[in-house]
């Protein structure tokens, strides 16, 4: 699993976040989780393998937003158990 954080310019509200999330789900194979924040200006996605940043950038640019940067790292699921 890979966690990728994208810095995105142009998101102004919750509808912008939903729009970005939809574009990512449609264009990135293996998406397990996606969450966007217009206040932080970023989207975080968890995928089964390293996503193609160029494909994501072009898909998001096609909707009027701009990807400023991206950072990927291995995703470790956090466990909050009783043991």
């Amino acid at each position: 699993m890979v966690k990728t954080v994208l810095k995105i310019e142009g998101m102004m509200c919750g509808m912008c976040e939903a729009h970005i999330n939809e574009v990512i789900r449609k264009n990135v194979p293996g998406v397990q989780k996606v969450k966007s924040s217009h206040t932080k200006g970023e989207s975080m996605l968890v995928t089964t393998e390293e996503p193609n940043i160029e494909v994501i950038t072009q898909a998001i640019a096609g909707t009027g937003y701009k990807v400023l940067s991206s950072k990927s790292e291995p995703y470790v699921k956090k466990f909050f158990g009783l043991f």
Side-chain angles (χ1 to χ4, degrees):
M1 302 280 272
V2 179
K3 174 183 169 184
T4 303
V5 177
L6 305 168
K7 291 291 184 181
I8 300 176
E9 180 178 75
M11 288 192 292
M12 299 293 175
C13 63
M15 287 303 293
C16 296
E17 296 170 359
H19 200 205
I20 293 291
N21 292 346
E22 181 181 339
V23 168
I24 290 172
R25 284 189 189 103
K26 285 184 177 180
N27 290 283
V28 181
V31 172
Q32 301 294 307
K33 180 179 179 180
V34 62
K35 184 177 180 182
S36 297
S37 170
H38 72 279
T39 55
K40 292 181 182 178
E42 68 181 29
S43 290
M44 186 277 298
L45 57 143
V46 176
T47 54
T48 54
E49 56 188 51
E50 185 87 26
N52 185 332
I53 300 301
E54 187 62 35
V55 169
I56 298 171
T57 301
Q58 288 178 358
I60 290 174
T63 62
Y65 304 97
K66 183 178 180 182
V67 176
L68 301 175
S69 67
S70 66
K71 180 181 176 186
S72 294
E73 62 187 36
Y75 177 71
V76 179
K77 194 171 190 175
K78 295 178 182 147
F79 177 73
F80 296 105
L82 299 174
F83 305 109

